Amino acid sequence: MQNRYCAKSIGRHKIMINAESILALLASKNYQVQSKDFDRLYNNISSSKGISPFEQLSQILSGLEINTAIVKQGPVEDAPPEAFPALIFFEQKWMIIDVTDDGEFKISSNGRLMHTFETVAQIPTSIAIWFEMQIAQQATITHDSTPSKNLFGIIKRLVFRKSRWVFDIIVATILVNIFAVVSSMFAMQVYDRVVPTLAFQTLYSLVIGVSIIYSTDFLLKITRSRLLDKKSSQIDKELADKVYSHLLSARIDMLPNQLGTLTAQISGIDSVRQFFTSSIVFALVDLPFSIFFLVTIYFIGGPIAGAYLAFFIISLFIGLIAQKRSQLLIKKLTMRSNEKMGVLVDSIRGLETIKVNGYERHLQQSWNNINQSVSEYSLAQKHISNFATTVSQSLGSFSYAAAIMIGVHQIEAGNMTMGAMIACSILGGRVLGPVGQAVSYLIQFETVQQSADLVNKFLEVPVERNDEKSFVFPTTKPKSIEFMDVQYAYEGAQINQVDIPNFTVGSGERVAILGKIGSGKSTLLKMLAGLYKPSQGLIKFDSAEIWSLDKRYLNRHIGYLPQQAELFKGTLLDNISMNRKISDTRILNIVNKLELDQITDRNEKGLDLPINEGGSGLSGGQRQMVALARIFAQAPSIWLLDEPTSSIDQELQKVFKEQLASELSDTDVLVFSTHNPKLAMELATRIIIMDGGKIIKDVPTSRVELRQPKVA
């Protein structure tokens, strides 16, 4: 096979890391060192010839007897989030690079900020050195407190985590509203003093003054808009990160089985975030200022304020009624919209089956029925919203007319001037606008509340590892697996899918699981892989319960192949390496062993062959072999394979058996399920048979005989 894959190479820089940068990095990781010891060690190591910065830092850690971290090196874009702060070779010297809460990359030297980059892609090609934390035998990691399961709570925390931006926006909004009062005063002065006397000098002075105010107002609005947009974008990114992180850490067996429902739950964050970030300034500033304008109108025009106050109260009352009437409709609309998403996802995923079985007409009818319901509920909800908005606008017009009428009578009575009436009408518009917005927000809130409830249900799904718990990271690989009174039932199910009082697999064993469909084979493997948590009982790796082990330890030592081989959008290499640091030689060796070179040799890109979502473009057997190559590249200590040969032909099955035997070490554990008794006999030293979630037979392979089919 042609070698078309070239890994990124990392050169050896001759420039040593300065002592200040190393001390700063150690301090950022909470390592306390004695200055005299460090200086002596640094000078001795740095004076060595031919040593690289990577080796320099590694030897310093060793000399300081720091054994809870190892040194890693690579391109800065490859550094994981937990690597920062780190060292970066930038502008011909080593500096500290860190990531702020806003996601910006800051490079500093000797405590001075040198450069700031919004994304890692903007940083010129650079080498980074960082610490990867290692946990000693029986040491533990303490995670952050449990994240909020309420979406509004998460957004609120993100919004007010750094409240300076809120303060800036509030100040800008207050000034803008004050300038609105100045505008009304300008109109009043012009009509009361300039027009009757034609005092042009006064007019010009007023125009110059108000022009300065209008310019400032323009700049404040632009600045406020940019601040709000930037913060909204940051919140959007962090919120999406938190929700997606929860998806990746959630217990698989607790997630909704309906993909459409799960997708709808997660996608609800967009409408909630947009509503929250746009309404916060309104709730804090714009609406309270309506009351301020009402008070100002009262001092200028007296009874005119009554017309606007009546409008203010009635409009809010109408908004509350509309919100109440929308509740049931929006619940039904949300439910049917989720069903619509589910039908769409099922149709896309099963289009081949639909076409082959002539199921199009039935699904088309279901789709149309759901759309009809969605349309009816949506139309009814829009009628309520439009009615409330139209009534509010009409009341605003009536209140304006009433204010003019009252103003004319006040002028006639000599209680106010023409300019004062015009000023009141200008300020009245500042009352009408926020109240109209309030009605709109009240109606929108019910829709947003439904979306938030969906996201909250998703956030309530428990995570695999409780964040308040500490996890063990042993320094040795697992040698045995033990089931102790283990039972497992799916959420809401009355019958146990797995019920195993006792089951042990020792180092070096090869175990085949046989049984009919639904006997619990796959569930047993998922529990061994740490994907499903027992409803009762314990699963132990050596002396440690599997759910007390650190996830990184399990990822290192457990290789799991599901029944359905899942490939991801990226390259063939990405799907094999899964972002692990694997040498070119190792990758090419695996590709050749599993005959994947038949794929790479047929295209110019080799291992850089693009893979589409779901692995479309590859056959089922090819996807299966890529998934097997992924396990080979991982080189785990425990191999868990669910129907590993279900999609491959006899020739590839032979290749798989030969190469699996060569990859397994004497101490590795192999547990696999299969419907092929011959494969079980060839690979296993022990065979267990399951039925109804229970192990009904557990015998050495030597005691099993394959029955020959009868010849007619």
Side-chain angles (χ1 to χ4, degrees):
M1 171 186 157
Q2 299 176 23
N3 183 356
R4 299 191 180 96
Y5 166 62
C6 295
K8 296 177 181 178
S9 61
I10 301 174
R12 290 167 60 96
H13 296 285
K14 296 180 180 179
I15 300 176
M16 294 294 98
I17 308 172
N18 58 65
E20 291 77 9
S21 295
I22 296 177
L23 287 171
L25 183 62
L26 291 171
S28 70
K29 304 298 182 181
N30 296 319
Y31 291 123
Q32 303 296 327
V33 298
Q34 296 293 330
S35 58
K36 291 183 179 179
D37 295 338
F38 175 81
D39 291 342
R40 183 172 60 255
L41 183 63
Y42 178 83
N43 292 331
N44 290 338
I45 293 173
S46 299
S47 62
S48 301
K49 294 183 179 180
I51 190 173
S52 69
F54 177 86
E55 294 164 337
Q56 176 194 17
L57 191 56
S58 297
Q59 291 184 27
I60 285 177
L61 282 189
S62 178
L64 294 173
E65 297 183 353
I66 296 175
N67 54 15
T68 56
I70 61 173
V71 182
K72 291 288 185 176
Q73 177 175 274
V76 67
E77 62 268 20
D78 287 352
E82 62 271 15
F84 298 96
L87 293 169
I88 184 172
F89 189 73
F90 196 79
E91 295 182 345
Q92 298 304 306
K93 65 179 179 179
W94 290 95
M95 304 184 189
I96 295 290
I97 181 170
D98 199 2
V99 184
T100 67
D101 292 337
D102 295 333
E104 292 184 333
F105 292 84
K106 295 187 178 297
I107 298 177
S108 58
S109 178
N110 296 329
R112 292 176 52 201
L113 179 63
M114 307 299 290
H115 300 279
T116 301
F117 299 95
E118 291 187 358
T119 66
V120 71
Q122 295 176 349
I123 303 174
T125 302
S126 303
I127 299 299
I129 295 179
W130 63 88
F131 290 155
E132 181 177 290
M133 308 309 293
Q134 298 292 299
I135 311 301
Q137 177 71 23
Q138 301 303 318
T140 59
I141 304 174
T142 303
H143 294 260
D144 295 333
S145 59
T146 304
S148 173
K149 296 179 180 179
N150 183 279
L151 184 59
F152 282 125
I154 294 174
I155 296 177
K156 182 179 178 181
R157 188 169 63 250
L158 291 175
V159 167
F160 293 104
R161 183 179 58 192
K162 290 185 176 181
S163 55
R164 174 58 189 267
W165 77 276
V166 178
F167 174 78
D168 291 341
I169 287 179
I170 289 176
V171 169
T173 306
I174 289 174
L175 290 175
V176 167
N177 282 285
I178 290 175
F179 290 161
V181 176
V182 173
S183 297
S184 65
M185 295 298 102
F186 167 74
M188 185 172 69
Q189 293 299 320
V190 169
Y191 279 95
D192 287 347
R193 298 188 178 184
V194 174
V195 173
T197 61
L198 296 178
F200 289 106
Q201 293 297 326
T202 303
L203 174 64
Y204 298 150
S205 299
L206 289 173
V207 168
I208 292 172
V210 84
S211 296
I212 295 173
I213 290 175
Y214 287 160
S215 299
T216 307
D217 178 76
F218 170 78
L219 293 174
L220 284 172
K221 288 179 178 177
I222 291 294
T223 303
R224 181 180 64 175
S225 176
R226 289 183 176 177
L227 278 173
L228 190 59
D229 289 344
K230 183 178 180 181
K231 191 62 182 180
S232 297
S233 177
Q234 292 173 354
I235 292 173
D236 190 33
K237 288 187 290 186
E238 293 190 49
L239 189 60
D241 176 73
K242 288 181 180 295
V243 172
Y244 189 68
S245 175
H246 186 76
L247 173 65
L248 296 180
S249 62
R251 283 180 52 184
I252 293 177
D253 54 333
M254 302 294 285
L255 289 171
N257 292 325
Q258 298 82 10
L259 185 58
T261 300
L262 180 59
T263 304
Q265 287 180 344
I266 296 175
S267 61
I269 62 174
D270 292 331
S271 59
V272 178
R273 190 269 307 163
Q274 291 172 3
F275 175 84
F276 197 95
T277 52
S278 62
S279 63
I280 183 171
V281 175
F282 168 78
L284 291 176
V285 180
D286 285 347
L287 189 60
F289 256 97
S290 295
I291 300 173
F292 170 75
F293 290 132
L294 278 173
V295 173
T296 305
I297 291 172
Y298 175 77
F299 281 110
I300 296 175
I304 292 179
Y308 290 114
L309 178 61
F311 158 75
F312 185 93
I313 295 173
I314 295 173
S315 292
L316 290 180
F317 182 69
I318 290 172
L320 291 171
I321 294 176
Q323 182 191 39
K324 194 71 176 176
R325 290 185 59 192
S326 296
Q327 284 181 352
L328 183 60
L329 281 173
I330 292 174
K331 286 181 180 178
K332 292 180 178 179
L333 177 62
T334 302
M335 182 181 67
R336 295 297 277 174
S337 295
N338 290 345
E339 291 180 23
K340 179 179 177 181
M341 178 69 77
V343 171
L344 180 61
V345 170
D346 286 343
S347 299
I348 293 172
R349 191 167 49 185
L351 197 56
E352 292 180 357
T353 305
I354 293 169
K355 289 180 176 294
V356 169
N357 290 278
Y359 203 48
E360 297 97 333
R361 181 174 296 180
H362 175 80
L363 283 178
Q364 184 71 57
Q365 185 177 356
S366 298
W367 176 263
N368 290 339
N369 289 339
I370 293 175
N371 270 327
Q372 179 68 24
S373 298
V374 169
S375 178
E376 289 174 359
Y377 294 142
S378 179
L379 189 61
Q381 198 272 332
K382 285 180 180 178
H383 284 165
I384 295 174
S385 177
N386 291 335
F387 177 79
T389 303
T390 303
V391 169
S392 178
Q393 291 173 347
S394 298
L395 285 174
S397 300
F398 281 120
S399 65
Y400 176 76
I404 294 297
M405 181 182 68
I406 294 172
V408 171
H409 283 290
Q410 288 294 102
I411 292 172
E412 180 189 19
N415 294 330
M416 64 183 300
T417 64
M418 176 69 73
M421 187 180 76
I422 292 173
C424 287
S425 66
I426 293 174
L427 291 174
R430 305 294 295 191
V431 175
L432 301 179
V435 174
Q437 279 184 285
V439 173
S440 176
Y441 279 131
L442 284 171
I443 298 171
Q444 285 181 43
F445 179 76
E446 197 57 43
T447 303
V448 170
Q449 183 65 57
Q450 291 299 318
S451 297
D453 289 343
L454 284 175
V455 180
N456 289 338
K457 287 180 181 178
F458 165 70
L459 293 175
E460 288 170 1
V461 175
V463 295
E464 290 179 327
R465 299 291 190 272
N466 190 324
D467 291 335
E468 295 180 346
K469 186 178 178 181
S470 298
F471 301 104
V472 180
F473 196 117
T475 56
T476 59
K477 64 182 183 180
K479 298 180 179 62
S480 65
I481 306 170
E482 183 179 6
F483 273 48
M484 301 174 63
D485 297 320
V486 171
Q487 293 181 2
Y488 176 80
Y490 289 110
E491 186 73 12
Q494 302 298 319
I495 302 175
N496 288 326
Q497 186 71 15
V498 169
D499 186 354
I500 302 176
N502 185 44
F503 171 59
T504 304
V505 181
S507 175
E509 284 200 272
R510 315 289 188 250
V511 181
I513 307 175
L514 301 177
K516 59 186 179 182
I517 294 174
S519 60
K521 303 186 301 296
S522 296
T523 304
L524 173 59
L525 287 172
K526 291 179 188 293
M527 294 172 73
L528 284 170
L531 297 176
Y532 286 6
K533 190 172 186 178
S535 308
Q536 176 182 311
L538 297 175
I539 302 174
K540 286 190 172 184
F541 281 29
D542 296 336
S543 60
E545 202 271 327
I546 185 173
W547 290 90
S548 69
L549 292 171
D550 189 273
K551 190 70 165 59
R552 294 174 300 168
Y553 179 79
L554 298 179
N555 291 340
R556 171 64 189 88
H557 292 288
I558 296 179
Y560 170 69
L561 177 74
Q563 274 191 24
Q564 300 295 326
E566 296 290 345
L567 301 188
F568 304 93
K569 185 176 178 63
T571 65
L572 181 59
L573 175 63
D574 294 335
N575 276 277
I576 294 175
S577 68
M578 296 299 284
N579 204 37
R580 296 185 180 95
K581 305 300 182 184
I582 304 171
S583 69
D584 302 10
T585 304
R586 174 68 176 159
I587 289 288
L588 294 173
N589 185 36
I590 292 170
V591 168
N592 284 318
K593 277 186 174 183
L594 296 179
E595 297 190 2
L596 288 173
D597 51 353
Q598 296 179 10
I599 299 175
T600 56
D601 284 344
R602 288 204 301 265
N603 71 87
E604 296 180 354
K605 295 186 177 180
L607 283 168
D608 289 327
L609 172 70
I611 300 294
N612 298 322
E613 297 174 7
S616 61
L618 298 180
S619 68
Q622 288 173 329
R623 291 197 293 270
Q624 185 88 345
M625 295 306 287
V626 172
L628 285 168
R630 182 184 298 159
I631 307 296
F632 278 41
Q634 181 185 354
S637 305
I638 298 174
W639 299 63
L640 307 174
L641 312 178
D642 196 355
E643 298 287 353
T645 60
S646 59
S647 300
I648 56 180
D649 56 31
Q650 293 293 327
E651 183 180 346
L652 282 178
Q653 285 186 31
K654 182 179 179 182
V655 171
F656 161 70
K657 287 184 291 186
E658 292 175 352
Q659 299 308 326
L660 178 63
S662 68
E663 286 289 327
L664 288 168
S665 72
D666 293 339
T667 58
D668 285 352
V669 173
L670 170 64
V671 183
F672 66 98
S673 68
T674 182
H675 286 97
N676 185 344
K678 185 181 178 186
L679 180 69
M681 295 291 292
E682 292 173 343
L683 288 180
T685 58
R686 174 181 167 193
I687 292 178
I688 67 174
I689 299 176
M690 295 189 68
D691 187 26
K694 298 182 179 180
I695 296 177
I696 61 174
K697 187 173 289 187
D698 184 348
V699 295
T701 307
S702 58
R703 291 176 52 189
V704 177
E705 292 185 8
L706 288 179
R707 294 180 181 178
Q708 297 296 327
K710 294 181 180 180
V711 180

